[in-house]
Amino acid sequence: MKTAKTSRILTPITDWLQLSNGQRLQAQTQDLVKDAISHCFGYHLLKLGHLSTQLKTDNCPIRHQINCAEDGEDIGLQSDLQHLPFQNATIDLCILVHELDFSSDPHQLLREIDRILTLDGTLIISGYNPYSFFGCRTLLTPNDQHTARLFSPNRVIDWLHLLGFEIKEKQYFDCLLAHPKGPIMTHLGNFGRRYLPFFCSVYFMVAKKQTTPMTPIKLGFEFKRRIINNQPVTTKQSHSKNT
């Protein structure tokens, strides 16, 4: 399997406008995040990366919310995302938007998130789909420092499964490269999202950390013989005399 770690220098993304059709992409991602976080509960919410911190999460029942990125003015906590300054199992909900696309070591990033999430913690993650029209266009400049790495959704799901996550929700959006104008383009976009989801530009997933192992644990002992035979059991009964 090809390693996900790279030595290529990647330009960090600090604003949605740096992405292709970023303003529309932010609005669509905001709607999905708003719906997903309304069902999450706990004590601490962590938004990782500049794009995640620019999403509104006021409707989330989790009141203590932390914006974390490597730098920036409106960032509550400045830190390397691959080495987060949190104790184990302290975060209930983590939002990671388009950070894997521009990460030099996505495995380490996901391992850190797994370490800090509580049992039954939730991870909301999104990224570019390499099998979309957008992905085909980026193949023309694979080594450009502004080009996203584009890991396939199934590959990301495999990484999450290895860490013990269960995928609760998966969907795709943003089928068209250009901004849809007019009813015909809007209809084509809705058609592609409904019937050709795997060719949409962006994937969106909600994963939940499992509290039980993926494989059953074999007992260390077993009974050598049956405790109760198939023979009928005689029981002593008391009979009352009629007076």
Side-chain angles (χ1 to χ4, degrees):
M1 180 181 294
K2 185 179 179 181
T3 180
K5 187 176 182 179
T6 182
S7 58
R8 181 162 62 95
I9 300 176
L10 300 170
T11 301
I13 299 298
T14 59
D15 193 274
W16 285 93
L17 295 180
Q18 294 179 252
L19 301 178
S20 177
N21 296 323
Q23 188 174 4
R24 177 165 59 96
L25 182 61
Q26 180 182 8
Q28 293 176 322
T29 305
Q30 177 68 72
D31 292 338
L32 294 176
V33 168
K34 182 179 180 180
D35 181 65
I37 63 177
S38 62
H39 309 290
C40 297
F41 300 91
Y43 297 98
H44 307 289
L45 183 155
L46 177 63
K47 293 185 282 187
L48 290 177
H50 289 279
L51 302 187
S52 300
T53 60
Q54 295 172 22
L55 296 175
K56 297 180 180 179
T57 54
D58 299 337
N59 68 312
C60 183
I62 302 177
R63 306 320 305 169
H64 185 226
Q65 303 181 5
I66 307 170
N67 292 335
C68 180
E70 294 186 358
D71 52 23
E73 298 180 356
D74 298 329
I75 303 301
L77 177 64
Q78 295 186 4
S79 171
D80 181 3
L81 301 189
Q82 297 182 5
H83 301 88
L84 298 171
F86 296 101
Q87 295 181 353
N88 297 347
T90 54
I91 302 298
D92 299 285
L93 171 61
C94 180
I95 300 177
L96 188 73
V97 177
H98 289 287
E99 284 298 324
L100 290 183
D101 297 331
F102 299 93
S103 174
S104 60
D105 193 355
H107 287 170
Q108 174 61 24
L109 178 56
L110 291 178
R111 283 193 296 266
E112 273 294 278
I113 295 175
D114 174 63
R115 180 185 65 83
I116 65 174
L117 276 180
T118 60
L119 297 179
D120 289 328
T122 302
L123 170 62
I124 297 176
I125 184 172
S126 70
Y128 282 118
N129 178 20
Y131 304 118
S132 62
F133 298 111
F134 174 83
C136 294
R137 188 177 64 180
T138 58
L139 292 176
L140 301 176
T141 57
N143 296 321
D144 192 340
Q145 62 180 356
H146 297 280
T147 301
R149 303 190 62 192
L150 303 185
F151 300 108
S152 69
N154 288 337
R155 190 176 183 185
V156 175
I157 290 175
D158 288 340
W159 294 344
L160 294 175
H161 282 167
L162 290 175
L163 292 173
F165 284 87
E166 180 183 1
I167 306 302
K168 293 295 185 179
E169 177 186 346
K170 182 182 71 171
Q171 55 180 301
Y172 301 84
F173 63 95
D174 195 26
C175 181
L176 302 176
L177 288 176
H179 193 287
K181 295 181 179 180
I184 297 179
M185 296 298 292
T186 301
H187 178 72
L188 289 176
N190 295 333
F191 178 86
R193 181 175 179 176
R194 182 173 182 179
Y195 297 103
L196 300 172
F198 203 63
F199 296 99
C200 291
S201 301
V202 182
Y203 65 85
F204 179 88
M205 291 185 289
V206 178
K208 197 170 186 65
K209 190 173 180 179
Q210 295 178 327
T211 58
T212 56
M214 298 180 64
T215 56
I217 299 176
K218 184 178 180 181
L219 295 178
F221 69 93
E222 58 182 1
F223 295 106
K224 299 301 182 182
R225 55 185 178 182
R226 286 176 288 185
I227 298 177
I228 302 177
N229 296 326
N230 293 327
Q231 301 298 328
V233 180
T234 303
T235 59
K236 185 177 179 180
Q237 297 181 351
S238 61
H239 300 276
S240 60
K241 295 182 180 181
N242 295 327
T243 58

